[in-house]
Amino acid sequence: MRARPQVCEALLFALALQTGVCYGIKWLALSKTPPALALNQTQHCKQLEGLVSAQVQLCRSNLELMHTIVHAAREVTKACRRAFADMRWNCSSIELAPNYLLDLERGTRESAFVYALSAAAISHAIARACTSGDLPGCSCGPVPGEPPGPGNRWGGCADNLSYGLLMGAKFSDAPMKVKKTGSQANKLMRLHNSEVGRQALRASLEMKCKCHGVSGSCSIRTCWKGLQELRDVAADLKTRYLSATKVVHRPMGTRKHLVPKDLDIRPVKDSELVYLQSSPDFCMKNEKVGSHGTQDRQCNKTSNGSDSCDLMCCGRGYNPYTDRVVERCHCKYHWCCYVTCRRCERTVERYVCK
């Protein structure tokens, strides 16, 4: 009888090794950091939830970064929920950080997206904070070596992407480099997807310009390199999520590598998200597999996409209801300088899944 608890513990340990504990994104619990925590003393680092010891050390030695990293954690949550609002899996479980369900604990397609987005978001936030002067350790990004084109000149303050990538990777990748935190396959998958997120961020760097000239003639433009908004990076990563590749951990040469499971043996592309385990269809609630189900989710009766009532409700049907919407209307501009509006009510018909 005494051996049974030991057997159970062994089984639980084996399961943990198989699924892998997602230490890598537990830092997203920073999104819940109370505003009252000033984060201006090194002892505050131990009060932050979801950090491994290496991240606590980074916090202590880079205390000025922590407000930016907390901001990044909040942005990840918002960007993920926005990107998947029209899908059966709507990223709601990200708000459970640091105690996730299996949709993010295991090596799923969904966890691949969140790892990529998290890595991109932290580097994005740091790069932008350098530009705005919020970080004493960095400033504007370097002036590009190539000419900006006819009628343009380099100026302004570029987003410091190189510093953002450097410090972001140090923090977000630290948990995956801790020994005994899940299987090697899971570590490789998460490190790969994190790098895909940073690659998507690099691809979002674009030339932005401001016009100068008499009466808005735009005779010359001052230009700089700036990052797209995080929601645009998330949209790019969602496209990669939809075409993600299932991989296996297989020997190639003298070492094991992640290789596509159902294709000819080839290296995994640097630009593709990869996952190890298939996901449920997320139609029915089952917390054991990390599915919240789609019952009571709002659907779009006229859509043919993922938010359509047929796909969202998994063929179970839907219930209509009416909702009263109050909005501003009949707005009028008065010289000078204010606007007055009336309040109008209208009835909107909505649909929710059975």
Side-chain angles (χ1 to χ4, degrees), residues 24 27 55 118-119 122 167-176 194 198:
W27 68 269
Q55 289 172 317
S118 300
I122 192 170
M167 300 307 295
K170 278 186 178 181
F171 190 89
S172 62
D173 286 359
M176 277 83 80
S194 295
R198 288 187 283 268

Side-chain angles (χ1 to χ4, degrees), residues 60-208:
R60 287 172 175 164
S61 57
N62 299 276
L63 197 57
E64 71 282 354
L65 275 179
M66 293 313 297
H67 280 293
T68 302
I69 293 175
V70 168
H71 171 72
R74 291 173 179 149
E75 290 300 303
V76 170
T77 301
K78 288 193 291 185
C80 190
R81 293 301 306 269
R82 185 189 301 116
F84 284 85
D86 62 344
M87 303 280 287
R88 290 176 183 171
W89 183 79
N90 65 349
C91 200
S92 58
S93 53
I94 198 172
E95 296 176 355
L96 300 175
N99 303 308
Y100 298 108
L101 299 176
L102 290 182
D103 56 335
L104 295 181
E105 281 281 3
R106 301 166 70 217
T108 61
R109 187 193 298 256
E110 290 71 34
S111 72
F113 175 85
V114 174
Y115 272 83
L117 179 61
S118 300
I122 192 170
S123 293
H124 185 278
I126 294 172
R128 284 279 179 88
C130 291
T131 304
S132 60
D134 292 336
L135 297 177
C138 62
S139 58
C140 303
V143 176
E146 74 276 7
N152 298 333
R153 66 184 180 192
W154 292 122
C157 185
D159 288 331
N160 198 333
L161 180 58
S162 58
Y163 187 80
L165 291 170
L166 174 67
M167 300 307 295
K170 278 186 178 181
F171 190 89
S172 62
D173 286 359
M176 277 83 80
K177 297 180 180 179
V178 177
K179 293 181 179 179
K180 298 180 182 178
T181 55
S183 69
Q184 184 66 15
N186 275 282
K187 284 185 181 180
L188 289 175
M189 185 201 88
R190 289 159 181 171
L191 286 168
H192 172 88
N193 290 324
S194 295
E195 186 55 40
V196 171
R198 288 187 283 268
Q199 185 206 72
L201 186 64
R202 290 187 194 96
S204 80
L205 193 66
E206 60 186 6
M207 190 166 77
K208 299 183 177 183

Side-chain angles (χ1 to χ4, degrees), residues 326-338:
V326 179
E327 55 193 6
R328 300 203 312 167
C329 60
H330 304 299
C331 294
K332 184 177 180 181
Y333 174 76
H334 298 268
W335 180 265
C336 174
C337 300
Y338 64 96

Side-chain angles (χ1 to χ4, degrees), residues 4-5 110 150 154 182 189 208 219 226 268-269 273 295 315 339-340:
R4 286 184 181 178
E110 290 71 34
W154 292 122
M189 185 201 88
K208 299 183 177 183
S219 56
V268 171
K269 295 178 183 177
L273 290 178
Q295 185 177 1
V339 176
T340 59

Side-chain angles (χ1 to χ4, degrees), residues 85-87 298-301 303-309 311-312:
D86 62 344
M87 303 280 287
Q298 190 169 304
C299 62
N300 188 338
K301 185 180 178 181
S303 171
N304 292 318
S306 57
D307 63 338
S308 69
C309 288
L311 289 177
M312 182 66 73

Side-chain angles (χ1 to χ4, degrees), residues 185-330:
N186 275 282
K187 284 185 181 180
L188 289 175
M189 185 201 88
R190 289 159 181 171
L191 286 168
H192 172 88
N193 290 324
S194 295
E195 186 55 40
V196 171
R198 288 187 283 268
Q199 185 206 72
L201 186 64
R202 290 187 194 96
S204 80
L205 193 66
E206 60 186 6
M207 190 166 77
K208 299 183 177 183
C209 298
K210 182 179 181 180
C211 280
H212 303 279
V214 179
S215 301
S217 62
C218 203
S219 56
I220 192 166
R221 301 196 308 167
T222 298
C223 303
W224 62 94
K225 289 294 184 76
L227 294 167
Q228 294 177 11
E229 297 301 318
L230 185 62
R231 62 176 175 269
D232 299 316
V233 179
D236 177 14
L237 291 173
K238 183 182 177 182
T239 300
R240 303 184 196 213
Y241 159 90
L242 293 170
S243 60
T245 301
K246 189 172 186 179
V247 294
V248 292
H249 198 209
R250 181 179 296 164
M252 288 186 69
T254 58
R255 300 178 63 185
K256 279 188 172 183
H257 296 268
L258 297 178
V259 295
K261 184 178 186 299
D262 299 322
L263 302 172
D264 294 333
I265 293 179
R266 63 164 174 82
V268 171
K269 295 178 183 177
D270 294 338
S271 60
E272 64 184 333
L273 290 178
V274 299
Y275 63 100
L276 291 162
Q277 292 157 305
S278 298
S279 304
D281 59 17
F282 297 108
C283 284
M284 305 301 293
K285 186 172 183 177
N286 184 345
E287 291 195 359
K288 289 183 179 180
V289 296
S291 175
H292 294 281
T294 63
Q295 185 177 1
D296 297 328
R297 284 281 303 278
Q298 190 169 304
C299 62
N300 188 338
K301 185 180 178 181
T302 60
S303 171
N304 292 318
S306 57
D307 63 338
S308 69
C309 288
D310 185 41
L311 289 177
M312 182 66 73
C313 304
C314 307
R316 299 189 306 269
Y318 53 88
N319 292 318
Y321 73 96
T322 56
D323 195 10
R324 285 196 311 167
V325 177
V326 179
E327 55 193 6
R328 300 203 312 167
C329 60
H330 304 299

